[in-house]
Amino acid sequence: QVQLVESGGGSVQAGGSLRLSCAASGSVYDTACMGWFRQAPGKEREKVATINIPGSTTYANSVKGRFTISKDNAKNTLYLQMNSLKPEDTAMYYCVAYPGCGTTQYWGQGTQVTVSS
């Protein structure tokens, strides 16, 4: 069982930055694919960014060029650096782990990001 705890959310004005962190209960990041998802009220859940075991990344078109996903295997921590935030980035952000990049998923409890115009 993997436990994930997100932190770093908050309220910022448009154009601002936040860095989300996701701490894992064990040494999972060097053996799992990881991702950040978000869900706004009344909207579908959206995959924001992913990072695989070697460190290759993918991004949703809506955040490309503004968000950066990274991980520190030694600290068992996943990050999402969010710059040039927009009101449409307002959502609950979740960290997800896929051990062995398989189908099993572990989710964190989420951290709220609110961007005001």
Side-chain angles (χ1 to χ4, degrees):
Q1 186 79 12
V2 176
Q3 292 186 328
L4 304 171
V5 179
E6 300 98 333
S7 61
S11 297
V12 296
Q13 290 193 327
S17 298
L18 284 172
R19 188 176 80 156
L20 306 183
S21 298
C22 176
S25 57
S27 299
V28 65
Y29 293 131
D30 56 351
T31 59
C33 288
M34 305 294 302
W36 288 98
F37 284 70
R38 67 185 181 186
Q39 188 164 24
K43 293 190 176 181
E44 295 280 322
R45 184 178 291 169
E46 177 185 22
K47 184 188 295 183
V48 175
T50 65
I51 186 166
N52 67 9
I53 296 172
S56 296
T57 59
T58 66
Y59 295 94
N61 287 334
S62 57
V63 307
K64 205 170 287 185
R66 299 187 298 122
F67 290 11
T68 302
I69 188 172
S70 63
K71 61 178 179 172
D72 186 329
N73 291 342
K75 295 183 178 179
N76 297 324
T77 304
L78 179 73
Y79 302 101
L80 185 68
Q81 178 67 44
M82 305 186 295
N83 299 328
S84 302
L85 283 162
K86 304 175 180 180
E88 51 263 43
D89 294 319
T90 295
M92 185 71 79
Y93 284 71
Y94 299 91
C95 163
V96 184
Y98 305 82
C101 301
T103 57
T104 300
Q105 299 178 11
Y106 295 99
W107 288 74
Q109 84 290 348
T111 185
Q112 178 68 38
V113 171
T114 303
V115 184
S116 58
S117 58

